[in-house]
């Protein structure tokens, strides 16, 4: 009887194994080896978080031009009016410049019907106002996470007459067309570079520059989206190495600027973060 039971179980397990192998062969070609799928590359959206949003300026967004990130004219630099000034808690001393957020009004009578979502890019700092309470005018006081949006962006999610509304927000990938853009300032002995059109996480942690006659030179963070190198680089073609603040990914942009590069000129790379 024991032998019959063992024979039955052996036959049963053999049948199950054969069925499993047949199922695998249905989905895999002969000789294929199963491997764990690779994780998705590039910056991924974060979870939704509660905060508040206000707006500054008028419908023309003229007061948003320039800003602490140093992007200058936001129309010519490609950011337009879908921009936001971050409270210092989010701004991170300028390392958050270029980051992208989805924002939607939440649970307020001023919210537009359907609670539409708008995407904005961080281009400015909303400084603290220590003369006012954090819940009564000092909206950008630490440790609050707050978004001071351009008025055109704010009007996409709420009635502007409300002044301030509760929102839900999350970080999202910055979707950019083309490669990184570099605008030069300084001179042949001091190079100041503003980096724009940054995809993926949108932010930068560190940069290096390489002249055609030098090795890689570490650049220090000046402010906002600008980095500097105190080196003699005039008359050399320039390449850059950039590390993302969020993802820690590093990319190399070779031969971005020719040897006759000039300050005040924008140079484009063929690479970008995703």
């Amino acid at each position: 009887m024991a032998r019959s039971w063992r024979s039955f179980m052996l036959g049963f397990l053999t049948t199950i194994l054969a069925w499993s192998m047949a199922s695998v062969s249905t989905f895999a070609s002969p000789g294929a080896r199963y491997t764990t799928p690779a994780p998705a590359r590039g910056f991924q959206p974060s979870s939704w978080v509660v905060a508040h949003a206000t707006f500054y300026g008028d419908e023309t967004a003229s007061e948003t031009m320039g800003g602490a990130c140093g992007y200058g004219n936001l129309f010519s630099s490609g950011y337009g009016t879908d921009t936001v000034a971050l409270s210092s808690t989010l701004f991170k001393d300028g390392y958050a410049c270029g980051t992208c957020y989805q924002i939607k009004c939440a649970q307020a009578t001023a919210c537009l019907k359907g609670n539409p979502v708008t995407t904005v890019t961080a281009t400015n700092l909303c400084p603290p106002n220590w003369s006012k309470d954090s819940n009564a005018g000092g909206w950008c006081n630490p440790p609050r996470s707050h978004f001071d949006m351009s008025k055109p962006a704010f009007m996409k999610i709420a009635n502007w007459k409300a002044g301030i509304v509760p929102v839900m927000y999350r970080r999202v990938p910055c979707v950019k067309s083309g490669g990184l853009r570099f605008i030069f300032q300084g001179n042949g002995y001091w190079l100041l570079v503003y980096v724009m059109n940054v995809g993926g996480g949108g932010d930068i942690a560190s940069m290096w520059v390489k002249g055609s006659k030098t090795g890689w030179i570490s650049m220090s963070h000046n402010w906002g989206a600008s980095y500097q190198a105190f080196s003699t680089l005039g008359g050399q073609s320039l390449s850059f190495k950039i590390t993302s603040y969020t993802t820690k990914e590093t990319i190399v942009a070779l031969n971005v600027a020719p040897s006759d590069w000039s300050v005040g000129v924008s140079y484009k790379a063929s690479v970008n973060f995703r």
Side-chain angles (χ1 to χ4, degrees):
M1 184 67 178
R3 178 176 297 179
S4 298
W5 174 251
R6 286 196 297 271
S7 298
F8 169 76
M9 289 300 298
L10 179 60
F12 176 75
L13 292 174
T14 301
T15 300
I16 291 297
L17 178 61
W19 179 85
S20 299
M21 293 301 292
S23 298
V24 170
S25 65
T26 301
F27 299 99
S29 59
R33 178 179 297 175
Y34 176 78
T35 56
T36 303
R41 294 186 60 191
F43 181 75
Q44 300 297 307
S46 67
S47 301
W48 289 97
V49 184
V50 176
H52 284 80
T54 50
F55 68 88
Y56 68 114
D58 58 19
E59 287 86 347
T60 67
S62 59
E63 292 186 31
T64 69
M65 298 298 115
C69 290
Y71 293 135
N73 186 304
L74 298 179
F75 292 106
S76 60
S77 58
Y79 295 100
T81 61
D82 291 327
T83 61
V84 66
L86 302 178
S87 62
S88 56
T89 298
L90 294 172
F91 193 66
K92 300 176 182 176
D93 292 328
Y95 285 106
C97 286
T99 51
C100 298
Y101 301 84
Q102 284 184 339
I103 302 177
K104 58 183 177 180
C105 185
Q107 298 180 344
T109 56
C111 295
L112 297 186
K113 184 178 180 181
N115 297 106
V117 176
T118 190
T119 302
V120 292
T121 303
T123 60
N124 205 354
L125 167 68
C126 179
N129 183 353
W130 299 115
S131 66
K132 296 185 177 181
D133 184 86
S134 297
N135 295 311
W139 310 121
C140 291
N141 294 350
R144 289 178 66 106
S145 295
H146 187 83
F147 297 87
D148 199 18
M149 306 171 69
S150 71
K151 189 172 182 180
F154 186 90
M155 291 171 66
K156 291 181 178 181
I157 63 170
N159 185 331
W160 66 270
K161 293 182 179 180
I164 181 171
V165 293
V167 297
M168 299 287 290
Y169 78 93
R170 66 174 180 171
R171 281 277 306 277
V172 293
C174 296
V175 180
K176 302 297 181 182
S177 175
L180 299 168
R181 291 177 56 199
F182 302 83
I183 296 181
F184 292 2
Q185 298 295 336
N187 51 53
Y189 309 97
W190 170 61
L191 179 65
L192 180 67
V193 180
Y194 290 90
V195 189
M196 305 183 185
N197 201 51
V198 182
D203 49 17
I204 296 174
S206 51
M207 275 184 62
W208 296 260
V209 60
K210 182 181 182 301
S212 51
K213 300 176 183 178
T214 73
W216 287 107
I217 300 169
S218 178
M219 304 181 74
S220 59
H221 184 217
N222 183 285
W223 181 252
S226 67
Y227 286 77
Q228 61 189 0
F230 294 92
S231 301
T232 304
L233 295 168
Q236 301 181 58
S237 59
L238 302 181
S239 301
F240 295 93
K241 183 165 56 174
I242 308 98
T243 298
S244 166
Y245 186 88
T246 300
T247 67
K248 312 306 179 186
E249 178 187 1
T250 299
I251 59 177
V252 177
L254 295 174
N255 301 316
V256 170
S259 58
D260 60 347
W261 58 266
S262 300
V263 298
V265 178
S266 175
Y267 297 95
K268 297 181 180 180
S270 59
V271 296
N272 209 332
F273 295 101
R274 295 191 297 171

